[in-house]
Amino acid sequence: VQLQASGGGLVQAGGSLRLSCAVSGATLDEYAIGWFRQAPGKEREGVSCISFSDERTYYSDSVKGRFTISKDKSKKTVYLQMNTLKPEDTAAYYCAAEDLDPMYLCRSSWVDYWGQGTLVTVSS
């Protein structure tokens, strides 16, 4: 499985960004795709994950109500719409894939497939 993340950038607090993760190389029906982030000096956090085959999703408490994960199966792409961004959302964001339930993917310490990071910087 190959993943390609894009869409990061610099935005002011209160603004929005949309991240994209293009996935290739496998039949994805058994997989969940997720977004993780890691800020300097902090642990990696599973932000939001989605089942590729159905509507199961997971959000961490820190982003619930502000971020929305979605997918376009025809394009094999997963999106993360980030609204009402805060300075504490500043981090490198990574997409990942694993044959797990979305909640377990987002909470997992062991994930086999990762994309490269895309940097999100939120200024105050």
Side-chain angles (χ1 to χ4, degrees):
V1 179
Q2 293 84 44
L3 302 103
Q4 180 77 30
S6 61
L10 173 64
V11 64
Q12 289 188 332
S16 298
L17 280 175
R18 189 177 79 157
L19 305 183
S20 299
C21 178
V23 189
S24 63
T27 301
L28 299 173
D29 286 347
E30 301 300 319
Y31 280 78
I33 312 296
W35 289 97
F36 294 74
R37 68 185 181 187
Q38 189 162 23
K42 293 189 176 181
E43 291 189 358
R44 187 179 70 198
E45 176 188 13
V47 171
S48 184
C49 295
I50 187 168
S51 167
F52 201 77
S53 62
D54 56 39
E55 300 309 309
R56 289 173 291 159
T57 58
Y58 171 87
Y59 295 93
S60 67
D61 288 344
S62 61
V63 306
K64 200 172 294 182
R66 299 188 298 123
F67 291 11
T68 302
I69 194 168
S70 62
K71 63 181 184 275
D72 184 329
K73 293 183 71 173
S74 66
K75 295 182 179 179
K76 288 190 173 182
T77 301
V78 172
Y79 305 98
L80 186 68
Q81 179 66 42
M82 305 185 295
N83 297 330
T84 320
L85 282 161
K86 305 175 182 180
E88 52 263 45
D89 294 317
T90 295
Y93 283 71
Y94 301 86
C95 58
E98 192 59 83
D99 54 348
L100 291 170
D101 178 270
M103 182 183 72
Y104 290 114
L105 170 59
C106 266
R107 294 180 175 182
S108 177
S109 299
W110 300 97
V111 180
D112 285 333
Y113 304 107
W114 292 93
Q116 89 291 357
T118 185
L119 186 60
V120 172
T121 303
V122 185
S123 62
S124 57

